[in-house]
Amino acid sequence: MAGPAVAAPKLELDDIQGLVLRAYGERPWASYVFLRVVEPARARATLRDLLDDRVLTTGAQVVAPAHARPEERVQLALSHHGLVRLGIDEETRSTFAPEFQGGMAEITRARRLGDRGESAPSEWELGGAEHELDVLLCLFAATEEQRNQLATRYLERTQPALALVSRQDTTPHRGDREHFGFRDGISQPLMHGDPAGERGVAADRIAAGEFLLGYPNEYGKLTSGPRRPDGTDLGRNGSYLVFRKLEQDVAAFWRSFHEASGGVAHEAERLAAKCVGRWPSGAPVTLTPDRDDPHLGRNSAHNNSFGFLEHDALGRSCPIAAHVRRSNPRDAKTASASDSLMLVRRRRILRRGRLYGPHTNELRPTVGDGKRRGLYFVALNANIGRQFEFLQQTWLNNPKFGGLTDDRDPVVAQAEHPGSASLPALPFRRRLDGLPRFVTVRGGEYFFLPGLAALDRLLAK
């Protein structure tokens, strides 16, 4: 079930930005600082100063022993619009991924991602034509005070050459739960060559070229990247970063399952778990279909070690429509487990998301409190179209996924009209109709997270 053997490459950790290797969970306070280039020449010089002063966190730093890791973590990414504003020539820019060049808000791309209605780019508060984003600074700290000081320091350092568009501050998880109340971040791929070695299940160990440019991918080919007209490599050790601000309607989520359950709390939890594919503890419904098992949810050796094909091909434990089954179908996407695992391995992404907004006072509220909260979805991949966009369009938003006829992802799918979710069971299935949209896109953009050497070349004039 591990897929084809892929030789672990030697990663150039000193050149890779650390976020590719680690999610920085021990630095729970973060800020995403979006900047606009005002004075191109001075902006290039300002960004080069960050590089020359070695403030950008590297992979080598974050895999070092704990006592040797930097207290603060700083990462830098550029949008295509930012490359234009910085004066990067058109011939060079044309070698970047077409999705990156077009931008997330481009009209056909927005349709592909399902960003319509309230989620349409014209409604966004971050990104799109009304709020163009050139540069992204990702800042991570151990405390709120340190995070605020870090953000203030870098805003002062980048002005006046770059102007602040938006500062988006994160909220630490409540325990390990996201706003809907489910344990977050369980199923993550591990990149071949990562010094963490063989942790996790075999199916989650993925070729480095799926996330980093310039390394072999799951096809056994080197992932190509951008170049200057003279052939100078600008891609190696870089990755494409997907940023989306997703607002969660927590009250609507629990109200829907409360009403579907007839007001029975444990049944509302069961229906929600069936739609997510895991119980609130993180225990997969595939392994414990009838009740939550917090012990299993906490057991990292077992809570992600399962398949669907042999024991749950029809989705009676974990519905085919469920979010986790759509986002990672494991061995059940084709008739052959090995073929399915190979297909899925080529669609994996590294998730680096964070929460925003206050936690709800109630654990599972059914009445809104008027406060905005949600998730900053941050993902890293080497091929935006084959990985992130395919996941969003073909698996999450597709009403015919896995042989279904009219079911979208009941948790995160983007659609203008209420949706449905089929929950197979014996003797009769349960069908939930009229599910509203629980997640609304409030902004986003595609960025390039370059290796340090490539960043130096990009900023050179």
Side-chain angles (χ1 to χ4, degrees):
M1 293 181 63
V6 179
K10 183 173 178 57
L11 301 180
E12 296 166 354
L13 297 175
D14 284 322
D15 194 50
I16 299 168
Q17 295 202 47
L19 191 62
V20 181
L21 276 294
R22 298 292 179 266
Y24 302 154
E26 76 280 20
R27 296 293 181 270
W29 296 91
S31 281
Y32 300 109
V33 178
F34 296 93
L35 304 170
R36 183 180 71 253
V37 173
V38 178
E39 303 176 37
R42 289 184 66 181
R44 286 195 302 273
T46 297
L47 297 179
R48 280 191 63 86
D49 285 344
L50 300 183
L51 188 63
D52 293 341
D53 291 349
R54 301 180 183 274
V55 302
L56 299 184
T57 307
T58 68
Q61 290 176 310
V62 299
V63 303
H67 71 273
R69 297 171 195 163
E71 281 295 312
E72 302 167 345
R73 315 286 165 83
V74 181
Q75 313 290 195
L76 172 65
L78 306 169
S79 72
H80 182 259
H81 189 266
L83 296 182
V84 174
R85 293 286 297 151
L86 287 169
I88 308 303
D89 64 277
E90 184 177 0
E91 189 173 356
T92 297
R93 289 188 280 107
S94 70
T95 65
F96 283 81
E99 299 86 1
F100 170 77
Q101 293 180 56
M104 189 181 291
E106 192 268 326
I107 187 166
T108 58
R109 179 145 294 106
R111 291 191 186 122
R112 186 174 305 139
L113 297 176
D115 295 345
R116 304 175 182 178
E118 291 182 66
S119 290
S122 60
E123 304 296 318
W124 288 0
E125 59 194 33
L126 187 69
E130 299 299 317
H131 312 280
E132 290 178 327
L133 311 174
D134 294 344
V135 177
L136 168 60
L137 281 176
C138 305
L139 311 174
F140 304 88
T143 69
E144 183 176 17
E145 180 181 7
Q146 290 171 348
R147 187 270 312 276
N148 292 340
Q149 291 173 351
L150 188 63
T152 298
R153 185 161 79 247
Y154 279 94
L155 281 172
E156 291 175 348
R157 184 166 180 171
T158 53
Q159 293 175 346
L162 298 109
L164 176 66
V165 177
S166 180
R167 171 181 159 184
Q168 300 282 316
D169 291 341
T170 72
T171 303
H173 285 69
R174 179 163 55 189
D176 52 10
R177 311 292 178 94
E178 49 74 55
H179 285 305
F180 288 142
F182 290 77
R183 186 178 173 195
D184 196 18
I186 296 175
S187 178
Q188 281 275 28
L190 178 68
M191 184 166 51
H192 277 285
D194 187 324
E198 298 300 299
R199 74 165 191 244
V201 300
D204 284 339
R205 294 196 287 272
I206 309 296
E210 294 298 309
F211 314 113
L212 280 170
L213 304 181
Y215 292 85
N217 60 22
E218 285 291 331
Y219 292 91
K221 300 181 181 298
L222 288 179
T223 304
S224 62
R227 294 180 177 274
R228 285 200 182 280
D230 63 4
T232 302
D233 189 356
L234 299 174
R236 186 169 178 82
N237 295 318
S239 185
Y240 288 106
L241 185 152
V242 178
F243 187 97
R244 280 163 80 79
K245 183 176 183 178
L246 306 177
E247 185 173 312
Q248 296 173 257
D249 192 337
V250 179
F253 180 88
W254 284 109
R255 184 167 58 249
S256 294
F257 295 113
H258 178 81
E259 292 172 353
S261 71
V264 180
H266 66 82
E267 176 64 5
E269 181 185 86
R270 188 186 75 85
L271 293 176
K274 290 290 186 178
C275 287
V276 172
R278 291 186 184 269
W279 294 92
S281 73
V285 296
T286 296
L287 300 182
T288 176
D290 298 319
R291 61 186 61 84
D292 200 353
D293 183 346
H295 177 73
L296 175 60
R298 292 190 298 270
N299 190 332
S300 58
H302 297 288
N303 65 15
N304 199 38
S305 184
F306 62 91
F308 297 117
L309 188 61
E310 182 177 358
H311 300 294
D312 195 23
L314 299 179
R316 287 176 180 151
S317 294
C318 181
I320 293 171
H323 171 66
V324 303
R325 190 156 179 164
R326 285 175 173 268
S327 58
N328 183 3
R330 301 175 186 253
D331 61 345
K333 191 65 189 76
T334 66
S336 161
S338 60
D339 288 349
S340 179
L341 288 167
M342 184 181 297
L343 170 67
V344 171
R345 292 168 69 85
R346 296 167 177 171
R347 312 296 179 183
R348 300 298 297 274
I349 57 177
L350 293 170
R351 290 176 291 115
R352 300 291 187 251
R354 299 283 177 125
L355 305 184
Y356 72 87
H359 295 287
T360 57
N361 292 327
E362 298 179 59
L363 186 59
R364 295 168 191 164
T366 57
V367 178
D369 60 6
K371 297 177 181 178
R372 298 179 63 183
R373 54 182 58 86
L375 170 73
Y376 295 122
F377 175 89
V378 180
L380 298 168
N381 51 198
N383 189 310
I384 299 171
R386 177 167 60 80
Q387 292 169 273
F388 167 70
E389 290 191 352
F390 180 94
L391 284 171
Q392 186 72 29
Q393 179 186 26
T394 309
W395 287 354
L396 298 183
N397 286 347
N398 183 6
K400 301 185 185 303
F401 171 85
L404 300 170
T405 57
D406 188 25
D407 292 56
R408 57 180 172 84
D409 185 312
V411 181
V412 303
Q414 293 302 306
E416 294 184 75
H417 306 291
S420 302
S422 298
L423 313 181
L426 290 175
F428 305 109
R429 70 169 182 166
R430 178 74 186 272
R431 184 168 175 82
L432 304 180
D433 290 314
L435 293 176
R437 176 164 48 192
F438 301 129
V439 174
T440 302
V441 183
R442 297 301 185 193
E445 186 55 280
Y446 293 140
F447 292 89
F448 181 57
L449 186 81
L452 272 59
L455 181 60
D456 182 50
R457 296 173 189 132
L458 276 168
L459 297 174
K461 289 298 287 186

